[in-house]
Amino acid sequence: SLIKQYYININNRDKILKDKNVRMALARLTDVDNILKNIENGMGIRAAGPIHPLKKTYNEKVTAVAYDPEKAKPLLAESGWKDTDNDGILDKVIDGKKQALELEILISGQELGRKLSLMLQENARKAGIKINIKEKDFKLIRTENLKPRNFQLVPSVLSQDIIAWDDLSRWHSENNTPDGSNDMSYSNSRVDDMIDRILTTKSDTARITLYKKIQEEIAGDQPVIFLYCPEEKIVISRKWAATASAKRPGYMANTFAKAGEKATTNK
């Protein structure tokens, strides 16, 4: 069974988005708490990295980036973005040419992606970033944009198995190929080394330490904008007792029993 978390995929080799300050500024302009409250009715857990918060390998010391537009502005200024022509959009010279801070986010028509994009578009505008929203079939986004790395921003879903040890190969630079899972083109030699070491580390304690260090590195690089892990509300009659679960469908069928009685498991 799979558990999920939502994030905004960023093309880390894009001429604008390869700058960590720009990626971090975008994270500061993404009001995830507002999304959770008004779109998900509070049913979600903030995500700070590639590991689901319910797992033992999750690093609780890594905190999710808080929405703070005022902290986004100095990050952009530090990287040389200024509004030199007073048109409300920041700009700078890149490779000898004046470049406006204008980005495109591709969405597949899902309601969540559309609402998320509109919210980010409005917040980014106030900081001098223009975001254009383009709707396209996700199969085409996958083949025409993600695989050839011809994109800037794409709302995405990261699915993980419920098992303890996650496969973090998508964050390894060797998988930054058209058929590889590293479609954000993320590259960090320290992360590569730790992912390789996980495969040969037998001690659970040592492996967990590596997982947590990887999360620290990735959070510092902000290669994607981590959003949240959705939750489901399960309604159960008081006549029954049952155990909830992070995996679909949100409950464990073999734990259902009349209140006060023990559940029986068919083997």
Side-chain angles (χ1 to χ4, degrees), residues 60-85:
E60 295 181 352
K61 294 182 180 180
V62 177
T63 57
V65 177
Y67 171 68
D68 193 337
E70 292 308 311
K71 287 187 178 180
K73 294 176 182 178
L75 286 169
L76 297 171
E78 183 182 327
S79 288
W81 292 99
K82 300 176 182 179
D83 185 6
T84 61
D85 50 12

Side-chain angles (χ1 to χ4, degrees), residues 158-191:
L158 177 63
S159 296
Q160 305 173 59
D161 201 289
I162 198 68
I163 61 175
W165 310 111
D166 283 315
D167 176 13
L168 297 179
S169 60
R170 70 182 289 111
W171 306 98
H172 199 296
S173 61
E174 71 177 10
N175 289 315
N176 181 22
T177 64
D179 293 321
S181 55
N182 184 357
D183 48 22
M184 73 288 295
S185 292
Y186 176 57
S187 179
N188 181 319
S189 60
R190 292 183 297 275
V191 171

Side-chain angles (χ1 to χ4, degrees), residues 46-228:
R46 281 299 311 267
I51 304 295
H52 195 285
L54 296 181
K55 294 196 171 189
K56 67 180 181 181
T57 50
Y58 180 72
N59 190 338
E60 295 181 352
K61 294 182 180 180
V62 177
T63 57
V65 177
Y67 171 68
D68 193 337
E70 292 308 311
K71 287 187 178 180
K73 294 176 182 178
L75 286 169
L76 297 171
E78 183 182 327
S79 288
W81 292 99
K82 300 176 182 179
D83 185 6
T84 61
D85 50 12
N86 298 312
D87 64 351
I89 303 173
L90 300 177
D91 57 77
K92 68 180 288 189
V93 175
I94 299 178
D95 298 329
K97 296 182 180 180
K98 182 179 177 181
Q99 173 70 55
L101 188 42
E102 185 172 348
L103 302 169
E104 180 181 77
I105 186 166
L106 293 170
I107 62 174
S108 61
Q110 297 292 325
E111 182 180 7
L112 176 60
R114 184 179 293 110
K115 289 181 177 179
L116 170 66
S117 300
L118 287 170
M119 191 178 297
L120 178 58
Q121 182 185 56
E122 177 62 18
N123 293 335
R125 181 188 63 79
K126 297 174 183 177
I129 303 174
K130 183 178 180 180
I131 294 183
N132 301 308
I133 301 172
K134 183 177 181 180
E135 191 168 321
K136 191 174 182 178
D137 183 270
F138 187 74
K139 290 183 179 179
L140 293 178
I141 293 176
R142 167 60 60 186
T143 58
E144 297 178 0
N145 303 102
L146 289 173
K147 281 184 174 294
R149 310 297 189 264
N150 180 31
F151 74 98
Q152 290 180 310
L153 304 169
V154 178
S156 303
V157 181
L158 177 63
S159 296
Q160 305 173 59
D161 201 289
I162 198 68
I163 61 175
W165 310 111
D166 283 315
D167 176 13
L168 297 179
S169 60
R170 70 182 289 111
W171 306 98
H172 199 296
S173 61
E174 71 177 10
N175 289 315
N176 181 22
T177 64
D179 293 321
S181 55
N182 184 357
D183 48 22
M184 73 288 295
S185 292
Y186 176 57
S187 179
N188 181 319
S189 60
R190 292 183 297 275
V191 171
D192 288 350
D193 177 65
M194 287 187 284
I195 291 174
D196 291 338
R197 284 160 57 194
I198 283 175
L199 299 176
T200 58
T201 300
K202 296 181 180 180
S203 165
D204 283 1
T205 301
R207 294 182 82 188
I208 290 174
T209 297
L210 287 170
Y211 272 96
K212 291 188 175 183
K213 286 183 178 179
I214 288 171
Q215 290 167 76
E216 292 174 2
E217 286 283 343
I218 291 177
D221 290 334
Q222 200 68 41
V224 304
I225 302 173
F226 294 102
L227 301 174
Y228 63 93

